[in-house]
Amino acid sequence: QLERFSKRDDPTVCPGGGESDNDLERRVRPAVEEWADRYAGGRLALVTHLGVVRLLAPGSEPGHTGVTRVVL
């Protein structure tokens, strides 16, 4: 299951009982969109893990540390 999850080709896989990409999106996207609306025209720093970066900026593959700019 972890191998399937690492390929990122099935957004319903829950590795080790964790949350799937679909679950992550349902939990994270509404909050990020609310912050984007609240701070529209301003700047917002979001410190998060790689799964959220992959969700918000598909196709980006930053290293374990880095800065990814996402414009909503």
Side-chain angles (χ1 to χ4, degrees):
Q1 195 177 43
L2 188 56
E3 183 179 337
R4 282 179 51 217
F5 182 73
S6 67
K7 291 179 185 176
R8 322 280 323 159
D9 61 352
D10 184 351
T12 65
V13 172
C14 299
E19 66 183 345
S20 69
D21 286 347
N22 285 347
D23 294 336
L24 178 68
E25 182 164 12
R26 278 191 292 276
R27 180 172 62 84
V28 170
R29 189 168 294 280
V32 172
E33 288 175 352
E34 177 186 333
W35 296 329
D37 289 343
R38 183 181 302 167
Y39 299 104
R43 292 182 179 203
L44 175 67
L46 175 64
V47 179
T48 187
H49 60 82
L50 185 56
V52 174
V53 173
R54 286 179 174 149
L55 170 71
L56 298 176
S60 69
E61 284 300 322
H64 288 286
T65 60
V67 175
T68 302
R69 183 177 179 167
V70 176
V71 178
L72 299 174

